[in-house]
Amino acid sequence: MLPAVLHAALTPPGGLTARPASNTLTGACEPDPGIACRFVWDVSHSTYAADLTKVYFAGPAQVIARIVFVLLIAAILRIAAHRVIGKVTTRASENAAGRTDRSGSVFRERRNPRANALGSVLSNAATVTIFGIAAAIILGDMGVNLAPVLASAGVLGIAIGFGAQNLVQDFLAGIFMLLEDQFGVGDVIEVGDVTGTVEAVSLRITRLRDVNGVAWYIRNGTISQAGNESQGWARAVVDFPVSYDRDIPRVRQLMMRAAAGMWQEPAWRGVILEEPEVWGVQAVSTDEVVVRLAARTAPLRQWEVARELRERLKIALDAAGDDHQAAVPESGDQPAVPESDDGAADDPPVP
């Protein structure tokens, strides 16, 4: 009689089904655990924490509370990620603005706009990633089977990749362009037959404005090579023609004196980074000799320096007069023809 009573008291209603141990996932979170309870158990392995999560974040009555909690956590993570990205890009921009060259001149023209563009791209990527994970957690806690959704998303991504290859190529090229700092807003670049100032840079297109005011929209995926005329430093190259009968050493002295005088002026000291150099004769023709002068300048100032140098060289050579011309016989004077031994004049040599 007594064993039968004890057996009836110890047997749970519904039969002899064994209850899962509390130190396991199914024991702490029930046979069908949700994502929140599973995550808490995997991190803490605490039955108390799993029970607390199961009470407050399980069941139909707590769906709205779970959604609000997950969205709140996602918003906090987004704010933290944006602050970190903002600090990194600001520091990168300040470092780029404070760089100096060998002469100690600060490159004030280039403030590294690449940092701002890259910060915007990273912020958007962080936002999409964080809220995408939050949406998956919410759907999982609501009982939605995510396996078909993820499989469909994978197939859709492959289809979009094949159908929009040019778009994917443009985005990848834009990302690497920003990461490698190839050019940024305000730079003067040459892409193919187009030369202009960069007005906007995005992941898909780059907008240029040429000297005639025409706006060019170039897909990033089509840019195979680009020449940046304003990154780091620039060089003003002046090819100055002089007449063929000029005294070239004298011309070089005058050109060097005029360029050195311009470099020593306070107004041009921060623009011309090093003392200009006269490289010498660049080309020779029957009418003129081209002498080349070069000056290293700050970015985007080479054209201004070149125009000023041409004007000063012209004024210096005109002020020197004709004293630097080589002695050339006039057209009416004929050189003396030596006589031969028999007193007859030798025939002039045939050129």
Side-chain angles (χ1 to χ4, degrees), residues 146-235:
L146 297 180
V149 176
L150 296 178
S152 301
V155 174
L156 182 62
I158 295 175
I160 294 176
F162 279 107
Q165 295 183 17
N166 292 334
L167 184 62
V168 175
Q169 182 182 6
D170 294 340
F171 275 98
L172 292 178
I175 291 174
F176 283 106
M177 181 188 66
L178 292 175
L179 291 176
E180 296 171 0
D181 191 17
Q182 297 177 9
F183 52 82
V185 176
D187 288 345
V188 177
I189 66 173
E190 180 179 353
V191 179
D193 298 332
V194 180
T195 301
T197 303
V198 179
E199 289 189 343
V201 178
S202 65
L203 289 181
R204 195 177 72 86
I205 63 172
T206 296
R207 187 174 76 239
L208 301 181
R209 182 81 62 174
D210 65 10
V211 68
N212 297 320
V214 180
W216 294 84
Y217 295 87
I218 304 175
R219 289 177 36 230
N220 294 331
T222 62
I223 301 177
S224 58
Q225 60 181 8
N228 195 332
E229 300 183 6
S230 54
Q231 194 173 47
W233 55 273
R235 177 175 283 128

Side-chain angles (χ1 to χ4, degrees), residues 107-342:
F107 291 151
R108 297 184 298 269
E109 296 296 333
R110 180 173 178 84
R111 301 296 183 183
N112 199 9
R114 187 244 339 177
N116 297 329
L118 188 59
S120 177
V121 172
L122 294 178
S123 298
N124 294 334
T127 300
V128 172
T129 302
I130 291 173
F131 281 100
I133 296 175
I137 293 176
I138 292 174
L139 292 176
D141 275 342
M142 292 176 64
V144 177
N145 188 5
L146 297 180
V149 176
L150 296 178
S152 301
V155 174
L156 182 62
I158 295 175
I160 294 176
F162 279 107
Q165 295 183 17
N166 292 334
L167 184 62
V168 175
Q169 182 182 6
D170 294 340
F171 275 98
L172 292 178
I175 291 174
F176 283 106
M177 181 188 66
L178 292 175
L179 291 176
E180 296 171 0
D181 191 17
Q182 297 177 9
F183 52 82
V185 176
D187 288 345
V188 177
I189 66 173
E190 180 179 353
V191 179
D193 298 332
V194 180
T195 301
T197 303
V198 179
E199 289 189 343
V201 178
S202 65
L203 289 181
R204 195 177 72 86
I205 63 172
T206 296
R207 187 174 76 239
L208 301 181
R209 182 81 62 174
D210 65 10
V211 68
N212 297 320
V214 180
W216 294 84
Y217 295 87
I218 304 175
R219 289 177 36 230
N220 294 331
T222 62
I223 301 177
S224 58
Q225 60 181 8
N228 195 332
E229 300 183 6
S230 54
Q231 194 173 47
W233 55 273
R235 177 175 283 128
V237 179
V238 177
D239 290 334
F240 197 86
V242 297
S243 61
Y244 189 83
D245 56 356
R246 296 275 187 172
D247 184 5
I248 299 302
R250 173 65 173 167
V251 170
R252 295 185 59 168
Q253 292 179 1
L254 294 173
M255 293 176 64
M256 191 64 210
R257 188 182 306 167
M262 177 180 173
W263 176 60
Q264 293 174 359
E265 293 181 3
W268 297 97
R269 189 67 178 179
V271 178
I272 304 177
L273 305 181
E274 294 179 356
E275 185 176 3
E277 299 177 350
V278 178
W279 287 356
V281 177
Q282 182 67 20
V284 178
S285 65
T286 57
D287 299 328
E288 63 184 14
V289 177
V290 178
V291 184
R292 172 165 291 187
L293 183 144
R296 186 178 180 184
T297 69
L300 300 177
R301 305 298 294 273
Q302 61 268 34
W303 302 288
E304 178 185 357
V305 172
R307 287 191 291 267
E308 183 68 19
L309 281 174
R310 292 189 188 96
E311 181 179 350
R312 296 193 179 215
L313 294 178
K314 177 66 168 56
I315 295 174
L317 292 178
D318 290 345
D322 295 334
D323 58 345
H324 57 280
Q325 292 183 349
V328 178
E330 298 181 0
S331 59
D333 297 338
Q334 298 294 334
V337 180
E339 297 181 353
S340 60
D341 295 338
D342 55 1

Side-chain angles (χ1 to χ4, degrees), residues 80-92:
H82 282 203
R83 286 188 177 181
V84 172
I85 294 173
K87 289 182 180 180
V88 172
T89 54
T90 301
R91 183 175 301 177

